[in-house]
Amino acid sequence: MTVVGPPGSGKTLIVRHVAAERQTSWVDARSLRTIDELLAAALESLDSETAPGDSLAGALGRAVDGRDCLLVLDGLDLDATGAGPVLQTIVDGTTDARVVVTALATADQPHESVVRVGPLPVPSTRAPLEGPAVELFLRRIRAAGGPSVDLEQQEREVRRLLRATGGLPLLIEQVAVQSALVGLSNAMSTVSLEDAVDSAHDLLDDDSATALRRIGLLDFPVGLGVLARVLDRSPQRSAELAGNLVRRSLVEVVHGKFDMLSPIRGRARALARPEDVAAVESGLLAWADDNAPADDNYGAADADWLHDLPAMRHAVLTACAKPETRAHGYSVANRIFSSLYTSMRARDAVEILEAAVASGDGPPAIGAQIARRAGIAASEVRGTYEGLWLLDRADEHAWAAERPEEQLAKTASIRAEMHLDAGEMELAEREARRALELDPEGSIRRQATRTLADVFTSQGRFAEAAQAAGDALPARMSRDERWISLSARTLLARIALEQGRIAEAVAGTRAVVIEARELAEDRVGLLAETLLRGLDPTWEATDVDRQSLPWAVRLPVLAQDGRDLLNRGELRKAAGLAADVVALADSARLGRDSVEARLLLGRALVGLGDVEQATTTYLTALEHCRTMRLPLRAADVLDGLAGVARERDLPEARGLAAAAFALRTPRMAVRWGYSADYDVVPAGRPPAGLVDGEDLSDDAVTLVTAVFNRPASSAPSVLDQLTAAERQVAERVAHGLTSRAIAEELFVSPRTVDAHLTHIYRKLDINTRARLAGIVTEHSRSHA
């Protein structure tokens, strides 16, 4: 629904009144000028987010579908944002989304319901002096401290002023305030919104007039602390000035912050003087400097300034845009990163830091650090490798720093972590070693060594992993690097688990979790606890909001949730959750997590009797293990395939189990987790060509795939390109189901359904649901 009317006609007030009794998510869209800004703001208001690879429109559609919430986009410029067709697409793809827009014009879309709001009716010359326009006029005079109005004695003046407003509520309020200050007979006989604001400005004392102009220069609501800095007055005096403007209907208070209606802001901004612009910029930067943490490696998730994040963003970006203040802006941007990262605001972090980097070169050392941190945030929001270009930018800054090798080493270490998350083990090892070579005794040494320990553990190089983990442990605890020690000890516990020393693994992870809680190292503590949950069913896990976790932490936690479901016998839910993690891990390019999720999905599918889909899942996981060089996870996959082969009465089952045994033996590793569920007795030796030395051969995946191939029983179809899961989605699309409805039937999330659709469209070279439905229908007819 679009509520349309001229400025000041009361559109916002009407929607607020109607929405007062229901759950509402409100977006102040007055300053939004692009569709991406609008969609991001709407997602933030709904406390939703996009997964890496998601579109903003797709994420918003899922956020509003099936949700008992009214989304209000207030003051939206439909022409500037081009939001009409996007909102139409979202409505088309959902079953019960409810969106209300207030705007000056309609979007002219098929599903748009339009409510036009005109001025309030002004009593004609012969009509009684009554009605909503009169009531609003009298009420605002009283609120502004004016004398009582005698409608009989002052009828002529009241009618004159109401006619001048044209019935627009905003103008009625302004004329009423003016009348309260100078009297009815002295108020303007002709009025426009600009005239009303100009007149109000002229009637204000100097401090209040300055406050009006400076608030008009702000595009966002602000708290009292920000306002005091901008006005260069004490908080008490600033509150008095703002209250004076509120009484005159020039400023409004929304959720404890001071704001302006867009029409008033536009005129107040036009009245602003050069000294006001300078005062606002310097005041915002001073407030930002005072409130940003003093240390660039410390920041709390409950920092007060986070409530005024738009003001912090504006202060930083305005400062970075000017050469004379860029160093100051860079400094503040660097200092606020830890608070943003700790509070899981990676999207805000990447927006601010990327813009700082794009503004121009700042101080070299800080510039390198900001670019690195922007890369970390970008990889977390958009996908593992989406921040690489920012790391290249950090290297450019590094060459101008006082100690280039130190900055280059730090960037190489972050690059190594990205490769590790993606499952690119060779690249991760190369970058970690490069970091050590660049600055062997520097501050990055322990972090790079910990990364090497993680690489070695994943590859089953346990002697090297234990040595590296030990080297990453400090001679004495350093407060700044305590997470490295906890992570290294978690890796040692993981090695113990892989080699069958269960009691040692449990004790090690318990100690890490307890210590992490004491030190408030939530991230590394939660990862250790996720491992512990799989080892000790009696452990009481921390209650965390999964949706607020970074992807690299969220996916392991969700995978363990799926294992818990599997252990409880809830196979369908376990399979659905595993499919979600697979889709998310693939989108984010979190390689090791994608393998773990496919192991879970394959095991659940076997339990459900869907051996065909389990086979496909395991074979994909085996290919990933070969390319990532994850021999022990490859052994787990081979055990799963051996179980599937036995279910299908294939003679190769024992040979596959033998290949798994051959990968574990030289590493002194044991079967645990899913592999322990499959009790296929291994043959005496693995099939020829499957294992090369201590690793899978280059031909292993081809040879194993051939074991499960079956001749086609019917003529080939274009749909044969699709996996079983994709076929299920395609068939339901043909029946007209939405993504949410399909997700409910298949026990997966709407995001997973959309991921399947993306793959289907690419494989079939189409781009619409209608085309897919036609292909499925035609296939059904030809095979009937």
Side-chain angles (χ1 to χ4, degrees):
M1 175 181 292
T2 303
V3 181
V4 182
S9 59
K11 303 182 293 296
T12 299
L13 293 176
I14 291 172
V15 175
R16 280 181 177 167
H17 178 74
V18 172
E21 301 300 321
R22 65 189 308 166
Q23 183 179 355
T24 305
S25 182
W26 199 281
V27 177
D28 183 353
R30 289 171 290 180
S31 62
L32 305 179
R33 289 293 175 266
T34 69
I35 186 62
D36 284 351
E37 287 178 350
L38 174 67
L39 296 174
L43 286 167
E44 183 176 357
S45 74
L46 292 163
D47 197 24
S48 298
E49 62 178 345
T50 59
D54 257 352
S55 69
L56 289 169
L60 182 57
R62 290 192 296 273
V64 297
D65 194 14
R67 186 168 182 167
D68 186 21
C69 181
L70 179 67
L71 175 61
V72 179
L73 307 177
D74 184 37
L76 177 61
D77 188 334
L78 288 163
D79 292 332
T81 59
V86 177
L87 295 176
Q88 173 78 33
T89 299
I90 290 173
V91 171
D92 285 344
T94 57
T95 55
D96 53 3
R98 293 181 292 276
V99 181
V100 173
V101 174
T102 70
L104 301 179
T106 67
D108 196 25
Q109 294 295 312
H111 290 174
E112 180 184 28
S113 298
V114 177
V115 174
R116 297 189 181 276
V117 178
L120 297 175
V122 175
S124 64
T125 303
R126 298 182 182 278
L129 197 56
E130 60 186 28
V134 177
E135 293 173 6
L136 177 60
F137 181 74
L138 298 177
R139 186 168 63 249
R140 288 306 299 147
I141 287 180
R142 290 193 298 270
S148 298
V149 176
D150 187 329
L151 291 180
E152 291 185 4
Q153 295 294 325
Q154 298 173 294
E155 176 182 2
R156 181 178 178 182
E157 287 83 358
V158 171
R159 289 186 184 277
R160 173 179 64 84
L161 294 174
L162 287 178
R163 283 197 301 271
T165 67
L168 293 177
L170 193 57
L171 287 182
I172 292 174
E173 290 189 338
Q174 290 304 309
V175 171
V177 171
Q178 186 184 142
S179 299
L181 296 174
V182 302
L184 290 174
S185 59
N186 294 323
M188 291 182 295
S189 59
T190 59
V191 66
S192 67
L193 184 59
E194 290 186 357
D195 293 334
V197 176
D198 288 352
S199 177
H201 176 265
D202 293 341
L203 291 169
L204 293 170
D205 62 84
D206 288 344
D207 278 356
S208 296
T210 298
L212 175 68
R213 297 192 303 270
R214 293 185 184 179
I215 295 174
L217 290 169
L218 303 172
D219 285 330
F220 39 82
V222 296
L224 183 57
V226 177
L227 186 63
R229 274 298 197 167
V230 167
L231 300 183
D232 195 22
R233 294 289 186 270
S234 70
Q236 180 179 357
R237 177 58 177 156
S238 298
E240 292 173 357
L241 293 171
N244 187 30
L245 298 177
V246 170
R247 287 192 298 275
R248 285 162 171 74
S249 297
L250 295 166
V251 168
E252 58 180 357
V253 180
V254 180
H255 303 305
K257 293 185 179 180
F258 300 101
D259 198 6
M260 270 185 178
L261 291 174
S262 186
I264 295 178
R265 172 177 279 120
R267 189 56 191 165
R269 184 187 297 270
L271 292 169
R273 303 163 184 171
E275 57 266 30
D276 293 317
V277 175
V280 167
E281 289 185 4
S282 62
L284 283 174
L285 186 56
W287 169 84
D289 196 28
D290 287 345
N291 284 270
D295 191 290
D296 60 11
N297 284 318
Y298 175 79
D302 58 353
D304 287 340
W305 67 263
L306 288 168
H307 298 294
D308 274 300
L309 181 56
M312 181 66 79
R313 178 189 292 110
H314 185 88
V316 169
L317 299 187
T318 301
C320 288
K322 297 183 176 181
E324 61 269 24
T325 54
R326 184 169 298 144
H328 199 169
Y330 261 62
S331 173
V332 175
N334 199 35
R335 286 152 49 201
I336 66 174
F337 173 77
S338 293
S339 290
L340 291 171
Y341 195 69
T342 304
S343 60
M344 310 298 177
R345 297 173 185 257
R347 188 174 299 282
D348 293 306
V350 72
E351 176 188 335
I352 295 171
L353 299 185
E354 263 190 347
V357 171
S359 69
D361 293 342
I366 296 179
Q369 188 167 12
I370 283 184
R372 278 194 299 274
R373 288 176 160 184
I376 292 170
S379 68
E380 193 160 288
V381 171
R382 302 167 186 155
T384 299
Y385 281 146
E386 294 303 314
L388 276 179
W389 74 272
L390 286 157
L391 299 190
D392 294 339
R393 191 76 178 87
D395 281 346
E396 294 174 11
H397 278 86
W399 287 111
E402 185 176 347
R403 291 193 60 218
E405 65 279 0
E406 178 184 20
Q407 298 301 324
L408 291 169
K410 289 180 178 180
T411 306
S413 181
I414 299 301
R415 201 176 273 113
E417 287 286 336
M418 285 187 183
H419 290 316
L420 178 64
D421 287 341
E424 297 285 354
M425 297 300 162
E426 291 184 9
L427 294 176
E429 181 176 351
R430 184 189 310 164
E431 285 295 320
R433 292 192 184 281
R434 178 168 168 264
L436 293 173
E437 291 168 1
L438 285 166
D439 197 16
E441 300 302 325
S443 59
I444 206 65
R445 181 184 61 80
R446 289 182 55 225
Q447 181 174 330
T449 303
R450 190 224 67 87
T451 302
L452 283 175
D454 205 342
V455 170
F456 297 154
T457 301
S458 297
Q459 294 184 329
R461 298 157 63 181
F462 294 139
E464 294 171 89
Q467 179 64 53
D471 291 343
L473 295 172
R476 58 186 178 85
M477 178 61 72
S478 167
R479 183 174 180 84
D480 288 341
E481 296 185 327
R482 56 194 179 185
W483 72 270
I484 298 177
S485 301
L486 295 172
S487 180
R489 287 161 54 192
T490 303
L491 289 173
L492 291 172
R494 178 76 184 210
I495 294 170
L497 171 62
E498 296 279 12
Q499 295 189 324
R501 305 191 302 276
I502 305 301
E504 180 183 336
V506 171
T509 48
R510 271 179 174 268
V512 169
V513 173
I514 292 170
E515 189 172 332
R517 287 179 177 178
E518 293 173 351
L519 296 173
E521 285 288 347
D522 294 345
R523 186 181 184 117
V524 68
L526 187 56
L527 287 171
E529 186 177 75
T530 301
L531 177 61
L532 182 59
R533 285 170 57 194
L535 299 174
D536 184 2
T538 67
W539 180 263
E540 293 187 11
T542 304
D543 185 20
V544 295
D545 176 16
R546 271 65 173 160
Q547 295 303 310
S548 69
L549 298 174
W551 293 111
V553 179
R554 187 190 309 185
L555 296 190
V557 171
L558 291 177
Q560 185 55 48
D561 291 344
R563 296 183 193 105
D564 292 343
L565 290 169
L566 188 67
N567 292 335
R568 294 199 298 266
E570 299 181 54
L571 299 179
R572 282 196 174 276
K573 290 184 177 179
L577 185 52
D580 282 352
V581 178
V582 166
L584 290 169
D586 285 349
S587 296
R589 291 198 65 176
L590 291 168
R592 293 183 297 178
D593 291 311
S594 75
V595 170
E596 293 285 359
R598 283 183 167 89
L599 283 167
L600 169 62
L601 179 57
R603 178 66 185 84
L605 290 169
V606 169
L608 291 169
D610 189 351
V611 292
E612 291 290 341
Q613 182 65 12
T615 301
T616 301
T617 299
Y618 278 138
L619 290 173
T620 302
L622 188 64
E623 173 62 25
H624 288 341
C625 289
R626 186 190 67 80
T627 58
M628 294 180 201
R629 292 183 59 196
L630 304 176
L632 295 180
R633 299 294 72 80
D636 294 340
V637 175
L638 289 168
D639 279 327
L641 287 167
V644 170
R646 183 177 59 185
E647 290 289 324
R648 297 172 60 170
D649 295 323
L650 298 177
E652 294 87 353
R654 294 186 62 204
L656 294 171
F661 184 79
L663 293 176
R664 292 193 183 98
T665 300
R667 297 170 172 87
M668 294 184 290
V670 300
R671 294 195 306 178
W672 61 276
Y674 308 118
S675 290
D677 290 343
Y678 300 108
D679 56 354
V680 178
V681 178
R685 64 180 63 184
L690 210 58
V691 177
D692 182 7
E694 298 180 358
D695 295 300
L696 283 177
S697 70
D698 292 338
D699 298 327
V701 177
T702 301
L703 294 172
V704 174
T705 301
V707 171
F708 296 93
N709 276 347
R710 286 290 181 271
S713 57
S714 60
S717 162
V718 67
L719 297 180
D720 291 342
Q721 304 174 64
L722 307 183
T723 66
E726 290 165 354
R727 286 286 287 267
Q728 290 177 325
V729 169
E731 289 166 359
R732 285 161 175 77
V733 167
H735 285 89
L737 273 64
T738 65
S739 292
R740 182 170 292 277
I742 296 171
E744 290 173 355
E745 283 198 13
L746 299 180
F747 297 96
V748 298
S749 76
R751 180 183 284 118
T752 298
V753 173
D754 288 347
H756 283 316
L757 283 172
T758 298
H759 297 153
I760 292 169
Y761 291 163
R762 185 176 64 249
K763 290 178 180 179
L764 303 185
D765 194 24
I766 59 176
N767 57 14
T768 66
R769 285 175 175 254
R771 181 69 183 118
L772 175 59
I775 291 173
V776 174
T777 301
E778 182 62 30
H779 174 269
S780 299
R781 289 173 181 165
S782 63
H783 288 74

